[in-house]
Amino acid sequence: MSEPKPSVTDAGVATLRPPPRHVAIIMDGNGRWAKARGLPRAMGHKEGVEALRRAVEASRDLGLSHLSVYAFSTENWNRPQQEIDALFDLLRLFVKRDLARLHRDGVRIRIIGSRDGLNEDILGLIDEAMNLTKANTKLTLNIAFNYGGRGEIVAAVKQIVEAVQAGRLNPTEIDEAMISRMIWTADSPDPDLVIRTSGELRLSNFLLWSGAYAELMFMDLWWPDFNKESLEKAIDAFRRRDRRFGGLGS
Ligand code: IPE
Ligand code: IPE
Ligand code: MG
C-alpha cells in the first residue's frame, strides 16, 4: 500500500495530523484465513475474536477514545444457518468471558444494530453489557451486530416521521445534526478512519451516515492476523493524509 509522504510546511518541516479519535474496523477475512489453513470457517471466526481482543487493547494503549467494529451485518443472515449460529455463539462467549475485564479496564460497550430477529438471550446479554459499562470513559467500544448502515438511516427516518405525526416536530427543523443524533452511534464522534482488512475494497453497508468523511484504509491481511502493529501502521498512514472536508486542506 503506497501512502503519501508527510505534508511539508513552508518551513520545510514534516507535519503529522493528530491521531484519530474514532477508528472503525470492518473485520473481514476470517473465512479465508481458515481456508488457507485447511480449517473450518468457524475456526477463523474464533481466531477473529482473539484479534478483536488485541485491537481493543491496542486501541486503549494508543489512546483512541472510540473503536467501532463490524461483527455481524444484516446481510450476514444470508449465510448458512450453521455459520450464523457459530457467530452468535461467539458473541455470547465474548460477552460472558470478557465483560468483567473490559469493565475493569474502563471500556464502555455499546452494541449497535437492529434488535429485530435477535433471541431474548442475546438481547439480555447486550443489555447487561451496555448497562454495566455505561459510565466507563477510557474507551468506547461500539460492536456493530445485526447492523446495516441503510437500516440505521431508515430507523432514524421512522423516529422523525413519528415525531412529526405526533406534532412534536416541525419538518422545517429536520437537518443533518438531527439525523446524527438519531443514528445508533449518536453518542460517538463520526469515525475519522475506517479500516477494512482482507483486501476487499468496499464498505458493505458499514457506517454510511457517520462515515461520510472518514478516511478509508484497506489492508492486505486477514482479520485474524491483525495486531497492534497493524493498527499503528494504519494510524501512522492516517496521520500523513490530507483531510480537506471539501475545502483546500493544509
Ligand atoms: C468476517 O470474515 C466476519 C464476518 C463477516 C462475520 P468473513 O466470514 O467474511 O471471512 P471471508 O471474507 O469469507 O474470508
Ligand atoms: C462485512 O463483511 C461484514 C462484517 C465484517 C461483519 P462481509 O464479508 O459480510 O462483506 P461482503 O459480503 O464481502 O461484502
Ligand atoms: Mg467477508
Side-chain angles (χ1 to χ4, degrees):
M1 189 166 52
S2 86
E3 287 293 336
K5 296 278 178 296
S7 52
V8 174
T9 65
D10 288 340
V13 180
T15 52
L16 288 176
R17 354 211 99 248
R21 283 191 301 168
H22 183 178
V23 172
I25 308 181
I26 303 173
M27 308 185 289
D28 194 23
N30 294 349
R32 281 165 284 176
W33 179 92
K35 192 173 176 210
R37 286 162 180 75
L39 298 168
R41 291 179 59 86
M43 285 303 290
H45 296 314
K46 195 160 163 265
E47 276 304 308
V49 177
E50 294 301 326
L52 172 60
R53 290 190 175 109
R54 287 195 293 275
V56 173
E57 207 175 304
S59 299
R60 285 180 63 243
D61 288 351
L62 298 172
L64 301 183
S65 64
H66 293 75
L67 173 70
S68 297
V69 293
Y70 205 4
F72 187 85
S73 76
T74 42
E75 290 70 34
N76 289 146
W77 290 106
N78 293 326
R79 297 195 178 191
Q81 190 59 43
Q82 194 190 358
E83 178 156 346
I84 296 172
D85 291 345
L87 289 165
F88 277 65
D89 280 347
L90 282 173
L91 179 74
R92 286 186 184 93
L93 207 66
F94 180 73
V95 173
K96 284 181 185 157
R97 282 218 188 129
D98 289 53
L99 181 57
R101 189 178 41 78
L102 290 168
H103 182 44
R104 240 188 355 259
D105 289 347
V107 178
R108 180 172 70 129
I109 300 174
R110 308 258 320 138
I111 295 171
I112 56 168
S114 168
R115 294 173 76 91
D116 294 347
L118 299 185
N119 288 342
E120 285 300 318
D121 83 295
I122 290 266
L123 292 174
L125 283 173
I126 288 175
D127 291 340
E128 184 192 340
M130 296 212 291
N131 280 329
L132 179 71
T133 62
K134 67 176 177 223
N136 292 342
T137 54
K138 176 84 182 154
L139 173 76
T140 294
L141 171 63
N142 293 311
I143 303 177
F145 195 87
N146 200 18
Y147 174 91
R150 288 182 171 179
E152 178 178 42
I153 296 169
V154 169
V157 169
K158 280 186 179 160
Q159 276 190 60
I160 289 172
V161 170
E162 274 165 27
V164 169
Q165 281 180 335
R168 284 182 278 114
L169 176 68
N170 185 329
T172 57
E173 295 170 66
I174 300 168
D175 60 9
E176 293 183 10
M178 178 175 289
I179 295 180
S180 291
R181 283 196 302 275
M182 286 180 169
I183 57 170
W184 291 320
T185 48
D187 53 3
S188 294
D190 287 348
D192 303 296
L193 170 63
V194 174
I195 299 169
R196 182 174 191 144
T197 58
S198 89
E200 303 300 344
L201 307 178
R202 54 181 170 264
L203 291 175
S204 301
N205 205 11
F206 192 43
L207 303 183
L208 297 185
W209 180 271
S210 63
Y213 248 106
E215 292 297 321
L216 306 179
M217 193 103 34
F218 298 98
M219 302 185 82
D220 263 326
L221 80 171
W222 313 130
W223 173 248
D225 290 326
F226 192 90
N227 58 25
K228 184 175 182 182
E229 206 188 318
S230 327
L231 184 61
E232 280 173 328
K233 218 165 116 184
I235 291 176
D236 188 61
F238 169 87
R239 297 187 69 188
R240 291 161 200 276
R241 297 255 184 109
D242 191 12
R243 298 188 86 189
R244 298 203 184 125
F245 298 103
L248 296 182
S250 56

